[in-house]
Amino acid sequence: MSVPALEVSGVSKDFGRIIALRDVTFSVQPGEFVSILGRNGAGKTTLLNIISGVSRPSEGTVQLFGTNPSDRENKAKLAVISHEMFLYGNLTALENLEYYSRIYSVPDAQERIETVLKDVELTHRRFDLVATYSRGMTQRLTIARALLHEPSLLLLDEPFTGLDQHAIGMLITLLKRQKEMGRTILLTTHDLHTATALSDRYLVISKHKIVKDGLIVDTNPDKIRQAFFSSEVEEGVS
Amino acid sequence: MMSTAFSILKKDLRMEFRSKESILAMWIFSLLIFVIFNFTFEVSRLVMLEIAPGLLWVAFVFSGMFGLNQSFSMEKENGNLRAMALMPVDGGQIYVGKFLSVTIIMLMFEALIFPIFIIFYDLQLSLGMFMLIPVLLAGTIGFTSLGTILSAVAVHTRNQQILLSLLLWPLVSPIIIWSVTLTGMVLSGEMTEACYPLLVRVGAFDVIFFTLSYMLFDFILED
């Protein structure tokens, strides 16, 4: 069996007296698309921060491709898309992408920039300042920035938040393409419909721990819905 | 090796030249200090010569605080600070990039405000004033090398500006005091070889602050 793209073992995280994660254990195989479902505050973003190496777990370990997530080689294989833009409003789309292509040492940068801009349909606005973009356009450029260095592992933290239908459709198409290309994708969301449509596998996180881990094909969508909503009921959300 | 640092420097300078936000605010703030002090105190030229170096550094340091705050505030906006932590590069390179951009912006501001200072305080230009270049350079580098890392620490907190002041002032004050002394010597034409050890001391502090900050920056970027 190949080395897992991601291996999370007994990870806990607390911020003083506040517990964010408790004994989270799971692994993701290369090329797998996994959705982490859970209500707001369940610990999804904290988990992604630990996986990406931005935050350290209080207990437990995380390995990306068999090594430490903070390793420079691993960081180059990783991309994060969240509600944060990771873009500079006072630079144009092209300048932002050129900046990140230098940081990530993207080979044939200009060609790659043209490709990702075309993929997110922003070629015609490449010379405009990002500050003048709408929310949807900004999120599309965020996606372009994340895909620029062709990452092996994509971490998506509620990427559909605030997007219009057109942008959601475009993101879904891009994610399907990434999946076909064999990229490993980890998506956190509370949108059950999108998660079941895109993923191979789902995890339900509730009260800061994983309460359900299953394959989408083996599970009736109603069962997933039931697992998700029962976790919400447990946490006092009607 | 330093390509990341230069990419960050290029990006920061491009953004600064486009908005002119920091340099303009720093310049106006310093101008106000010079105007207020010039018209408030009716003192002789001799007394003015004594207080002028202090005034100059008050302007540099207070304006520099604005530049330091601005440097990481723009990274915090839109989550770019987190993007920096995710970069596949050594944190030291990010530090060097930010340090260079803050230092260059501050030196440009100093070059722009110094002629105004000469005019306001009626100082006479002489060849000896060229000795101000190493003094300003050493003092500014000491201020920005420490200020850059402390600004990166403070940006994670709600009271960023207060925390930066609290952390920076006690540590940077020796450099500022020595720089004021050296500036006074240059302006009064008393810069002799006996002053060089003081300049070397400022330079030594610069090296220590820069090296420590370079080594520690990786830890600062983590949550």
Side-chain angles (χ1 to χ4, degrees):
Chain A
M1 202 171 178
S2 61
V3 176
L6 168 67
E7 194 154 27
V8 178
S9 312
V11 163
S12 298
K13 177 78 180 178
D14 54 70
F15 298 96
R17 279 186 296 176
I18 299 166
I19 295 165
L21 289 172
R22 279 192 299 179
D23 196 24
V24 172
T25 300
F26 66 95
S27 66
V28 178
Q29 294 304 315
E32 220 179 351
F33 193 136
V34 179
S35 285
I36 301 177
L37 304 163
R39 58 169 289 211
N40 292 338
K44 304 188 296 289
T45 302
T46 307
L47 181 60
L48 284 203
N49 280 342
I50 292 171
I51 292 169
S52 62
V54 171
S55 185
R56 281 174 200 244
S58 307
E59 275 176 50
T61 56
V62 173
Q63 290 210 312
L64 291 186
F65 306 101
T67 56
N68 191 319
S70 303
D71 285 356
R72 244 175 278 169
E73 292 77 20
N74 272 336
K75 283 186 173 181
K77 290 179 193 164
L78 191 79
V80 177
I81 298 173
S82 71
H83 54 276
E84 290 180 310
M85 298 194 307
F86 297 171
L87 294 167
Y88 296 93
N90 212 9
L91 295 180
T92 66
L94 196 61
E95 287 165 349
N96 269 291
L97 295 179
E98 281 171 348
Y99 168 67
Y100 278 105
S101 66
R102 281 192 296 270
I103 299 286
Y104 281 86
S105 308
V106 176
D108 302 319
Q110 283 308 320
E111 202 181 310
R112 184 73 194 135
I113 289 169
E114 276 175 37
T115 306
V116 291
L117 278 172
K118 202 175 152 197
D119 284 345
V120 297
E121 297 174 17
L122 282 174
T123 309
H124 64 296
R125 295 288 305 266
R126 65 191 182 281
F127 297 119
D128 294 337
L129 291 182
V130 172
T132 65
Y133 280 22
S134 68
R135 170 83 181 97
M137 287 167 74
T138 310
Q139 186 68 342
R140 274 149 58 192
L141 187 62
T142 302
I143 296 159
R145 180 205 55 77
L147 299 178
L148 189 63
H149 62 287
E150 303 186 84
S152 307
L153 175 60
L154 265 168
L155 302 178
L156 304 139
D157 187 10
E158 307 275 6
F160 301 103
T161 309
L163 292 188
D164 60 24
Q165 282 307 310
H166 176 66
I168 289 174
M170 187 180 286
L171 179 54
I172 288 174
T173 308
L174 279 169
L175 288 178
K176 281 180 177 167
R177 202 183 304 161
Q178 297 305 311
K179 188 181 166 186
E180 282 164 13
M181 290 163 85
R183 305 234 158 96
T184 312
I185 304 170
L186 196 63
L187 165 76
T188 72
T189 185
H190 45 239
D191 181 355
L192 276 171
H193 177 71
T194 315
T196 48
L198 286 169
S199 320
D200 304 313
R201 194 174 135 208
Y202 70 98
L203 303 168
V204 178
I205 189 163
S206 171
K207 290 187 177 173
H208 320 294
K209 59 183 180 184
I210 304 280
V211 292
K212 188 90 183 159
D213 183 344
L215 294 174
I216 298 278
V217 283
D218 294 343
T219 319
N220 184 318
D222 288 336
K223 286 255 170 84
I224 302 172
R225 212 165 286 129
Q226 202 180 348
F228 179 69
F229 285 114
S230 65
S231 79
E232 288 206 330
V233 171
E234 273 176 41
E235 293 183 38
V237 179
S238 57
Chain B
M1 274 297 282
M2 280 292 130
S3 62
T4 302
F6 288 112
S7 296
I8 292 170
L9 170 67
K10 191 177 165 189
K11 179 262 297 172
D12 279 3
L13 292 183
R14 179 177 270 161
M15 286 172 73
E16 178 55 34
F17 288 135
R18 193 162 283 161
S19 70
K20 295 168 191 74
E21 205 175 331
S22 295
I23 217 157
L24 205 62
M26 288 158 81
W27 195 82
I28 291 170
F29 182 75
S30 296
L31 190 67
L32 275 174
I33 291 176
F34 294 158
V35 170
I36 291 166
F37 276 88
N38 192 48
F39 291 105
T40 308
F41 302 109
E42 289 287 332
V43 290
S44 67
R45 193 174 174 279
L46 210 62
V47 176
M48 191 53 89
L49 258 181
E50 277 188 27
I51 62 167
L55 268 182
L56 186 66
W57 277 96
V58 164
F60 286 172
V61 167
F62 277 99
S63 305
M65 292 291 289
F66 180 83
L68 286 173
N69 274 315
Q70 188 71 8
S71 172
F72 278 96
S73 292
M74 72 177 179
E75 298 297 345
K76 198 176 182 184
E77 213 174 301
N78 303 333
N80 288 308
L81 208 58
R82 193 164 157 227
M84 278 188 158
L86 289 166
M87 286 175 182
V89 296
D90 178 26
Q93 285 201 46
I94 298 173
Y95 167 75
V96 174
K98 295 305 285 183
F99 159 76
L100 284 175
S101 69
V102 171
T103 308
I104 290 172
I105 289 168
M106 198 161 159
L107 288 172
M108 283 193 306
F109 144 76
E110 288 174 8
L112 284 172
I113 202 71
F114 192 70
I116 311 286
F117 173 74
I118 297 277
I119 295 165
F120 266 92
Y121 295 99
D122 194 23
L123 299 171
Q124 278 157 6
L125 285 169
S126 66
L127 273 179
M129 269 203 184
F130 279 106
M131 273 312 290
L132 265 182
I133 294 172
V135 172
L136 296 186
L137 207 59
T140 304
I141 287 172
F143 178 77
T144 53
S145 59
L146 192 59
T148 303
I149 191 164
L150 294 180
S151 174
V153 173
V155 79
H156 291 290
T157 65
R158 259 181 248 164
N159 299 316
Q160 179 191 347
Q161 295 187 3
I162 297 169
L163 186 68
L164 178 61
S165 306
L166 284 174
L167 294 172
L168 184 59
W169 285 118
L171 294 168
V172 86
S173 47
I175 285 186
I176 301 301
I177 292 165
W178 295 331
S179 299
V180 170
T181 309
L182 286 164
T183 306
M185 288 169 174
V186 174
L187 293 181
S188 58
E190 293 167 7
M191 188 76 173
T192 60
E193 280 182 18
C195 307
Y196 294 150
L198 195 54
L199 189 57
V200 170
R201 204 183 302 167
V202 177
F205 265 68
D206 290 358
V207 173
I208 293 166
F209 286 158
F210 180 86
T211 311
L212 281 176
S213 303
Y214 180 87
M215 288 161 66
L216 292 172
F217 206 75
D218 257 330
F219 301 101
I220 306 295
L221 286 175
E222 273 185 25
D223 264 356

